[in-house]
Structures are given as C-alpha cells and as structure tokens.
C-alpha cells in the first residue's frame, strides 16, 4: 500500500481558447492571417493530487495437477484539486478578451477527465506449454464540459437521461455550462498462449463483452428544433474522446513470436 501527495506550483497547462476581433487583427499584423482563436501552454495553476495505490498477488495451490494459477490485484484512487488559478494576462485582456486564463473546460480537463479510481484483477494460468490470462479492469467515471453556454430551454430538451451538472457562465447570465459525467465501466480481456522452444503463439480478445462508454449528449430532432446540437456533433462523435478504454468495442488479435 502506497499513499502519496503531489503539489505542483505554476503547473504547465493548456489555456482557455481565446477569441476576439482585435486578437485576430493583431495576429494578422504579425503575419498570421485568418486565425479566429488561439490557445497556448501557460503556467496557469497550482494543484494538489492525493491518492493511494494498493497491490496484492497470490498463488493458488493447484500444482502440479492443474498447473500454476496466480492472481493479482491493483487498485488506485486519486483526487486532484486546483489550489490557484492565475488571472488573464494584461496583454491578452487588452485585445478584448474577457475569458479567464483557465476556464471551466480546462479545469475539468485537469481534474476530472481521467478516472479518479481504477481496479485491475488478473488471473494467470500456466501448465506445460499452455498459458492463459484473464483480466478485469474497472475504470472510474470521467467528465468533460459538453457545452460552455446553454439557455435553460435548450438544456431541458438536451439533457434528460444523461448524467450532467450545471455550472454558471457569469452571474448576470441565465445560461449554464453543462458538464457531462460518463459512468464507470468494467472491461474484460482474455488471451491464450502456447510456447514450445523459441516459438510462441498467442490469440486473444480485448474488451470481451463489447463494452462501450456512455454516449455524448445526442443531437435529436427536438434539440435541433430548440436551437442546439448535442456534444456528439450531429451524431459524428457518439462517444467521448476522453474514454479511458477507447470506443471501438471488442477486438481480436493473434501474435506469433520467434526468438533467435
């Protein structure tokens, strides 16, 4: 069991996406025409990450009749807090940019776009030339800003059935930022191998039960009629890019190794 705390001052992070007519004109005057928005790396934040790792392994008393069976368990929990967020630099603000240096989209990216918890359970069997691995991995929930400004009427038709929370845009606005949370999932991988001398053959399947992440907020006829699209971009991106196990479903593979 390991516990840890990591504090980072002036952490390097991606800024808010800045846009203004004055900014576009300034970039054009410097020889970069046609740019509507920019982001840059900046030492914008201080963070504290606390967590704990737990690992264990064991061997079952199955030899020699049933071969060797070993198990492993690994679990992690971590939590990142933003201790400080720097203000927008004066030269940027002077170009008519009112956005903060590090907005909610970037804050959620740092603190919530990777799982706070992960559990991995592995079982390995080996007998003579044969072996097999069965792995179960649970990825905790992740989140992203699905929309940075939506009116209440549009939120009402877009979000039913999804796990979302609302964050204010500005105190004077009735609009809200929509943060979507994607639930935890179990992923199962299985492989079988055979080895004789310098030759080894392995076949396997990743994501055995064809698990997919929760879907992005969907664009529907009702939401489009209300004047908004979901974060799936009219169905082009049905699954979140931040999914820790991807969004391609089940996959099969074979591998041949020859050592010489």
């Amino acid at each position: 069991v390991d516990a840890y705390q990591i504090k980072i001052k002036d952490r390097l992070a991606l800024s808010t996406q800045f846009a203004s007519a004055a900014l576009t004109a300034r970039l054009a005057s410097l020889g970069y025409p046609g740019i509507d928005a920019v982001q840059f790396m900046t030492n914008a934040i201080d963070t504290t990450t606390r967590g704990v790792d737990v690992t264990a392994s064991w061997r079952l008393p199955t030899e020699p009749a049933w071969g060797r069976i070993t198990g492993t368990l690994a679990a992690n929990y971590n939590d990142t807090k933003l201790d400080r967020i720097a203000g927008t630099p004066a030269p940027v603000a002077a170009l008519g940019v009112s956005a903060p240096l590090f907005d909610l989209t970037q804050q959620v990216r740092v603190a919530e776009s990777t799982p706070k918890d992960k559990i991995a359970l592995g079982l390995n069997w080996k007998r003579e030339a044969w072996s097999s691995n069965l792995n179960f991995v649970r990825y905790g929930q992740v989140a992203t800003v699905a929309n940075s400004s939506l009116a209440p009427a549009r939120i009402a038709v877009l979000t039913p059935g999804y796990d979302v929370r609302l964050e204010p845009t500005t105190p004077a606005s009735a609009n809200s930022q929509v943060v979507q949370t994607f639930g935890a999932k179990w992923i199962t991988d299985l492989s079988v191998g055979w080895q004789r001398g310098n030759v080894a053959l392995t076949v396997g399947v990743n994501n055995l039960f064809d698990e997919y992440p929760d879907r992005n907020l969907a664009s529907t006829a009702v939401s489009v009629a209300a004047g908004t699209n979901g974060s799936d971009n009219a169905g082009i991106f049905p699954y979140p890019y931040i999914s820790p196990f991807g969004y391609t479903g089940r996959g099969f593979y074979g591998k041949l190794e020859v050592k010489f």
Side-chain angles (χ1 to χ4, degrees):
V1 178
D2 292 312
Y4 56 88
Q5 174 175 287
I6 303 169
K7 296 181 73 69
I8 304 177
K9 290 182 179 289
D10 299 322
R11 178 170 171 171
L12 194 63
L14 191 63
S15 75
T16 299
Q17 189 174 95
F18 296 123
S20 75
L23 177 60
T24 298
R26 176 61 175 162
L27 290 170
S29 72
L30 295 173
Y32 303 99
I35 296 177
D36 295 325
V38 297
Q39 286 178 286
F40 54 87
M41 301 302 294
T42 176
N43 300 97
I45 53 176
D46 297 345
T47 62
T48 299
T49 300
R50 296 184 177 94
V52 60
D53 288 321
V54 178
T55 59
S57 62
W58 65 95
R59 181 181 298 174
L60 300 179
T62 55
E63 296 181 273
W66 297 97
R68 176 182 297 180
I69 299 177
T70 55
T72 58
L73 172 68
N76 167 266
Y77 174 81
N78 68 89
D79 184 55
T80 296
K81 299 295 186 185
L82 298 168
D83 302 323
R84 180 192 65 90
I85 300 175
T88 302
V92 176
L95 293 172
V97 174
S98 59
L101 177 64
F102 199 72
D103 65 5
L104 182 66
T105 297
Q106 304 308 322
Q107 294 173 34
V108 172
R109 186 194 304 274
V110 167
E112 302 181 55
S113 67
T114 57
K116 291 180 181 294
D117 55 271
K118 179 182 177 183
I119 302 171
L121 175 63
L123 294 174
N124 172 264
W125 169 78
K126 184 171 178 59
R127 187 172 187 270
E128 297 178 351
W130 293 93
S131 64
S132 179
N133 285 285
L134 178 62
N135 295 301
F136 306 93
V137 181
R138 180 191 183 276
Y139 296 97
Q141 66 183 27
V142 294
T144 187
V145 175
N147 198 294
S148 60
S149 181
L150 274 185
R154 294 180 178 180
I155 292 173
V157 300
L158 189 63
T159 61
Y162 294 91
D163 185 359
V164 300
R165 74 174 190 266
L166 304 181
E167 300 284 352
T169 51
T170 63
S173 175
N175 288 7
S176 298
Q177 302 181 79
V178 180
V179 181
Q180 183 177 1
T181 298
F182 303 89
K185 301 288 184 179
W186 281 95
I187 303 300
T188 304
D189 300 329
L190 175 65
S191 66
V192 176
W194 176 88
Q195 182 173 356
R196 183 69 70 184
N198 295 332
V199 178
L201 176 66
T202 304
V203 293
V205 54
N206 292 329
N207 196 351
L208 177 64
F209 298 109
D210 202 27
E211 192 71 53
Y212 281 80
D214 296 342
R215 287 177 174 264
N216 287 323
L217 292 175
S219 304
T220 64
V222 176
S223 68
V224 172
T228 188
N229 280 314
S231 54
D232 67 344
N233 193 19
I236 297 174
F237 303 112
Y239 300 106
Y241 73 92
I242 61 170
S243 171
F245 57 91
Y247 42 80
T248 56
R250 183 189 298 118
F252 300 90
Y253 66 90
K255 180 171 64 174
L256 174 66
E257 294 181 81
V258 180
K259 296 181 180 180
F260 55 88

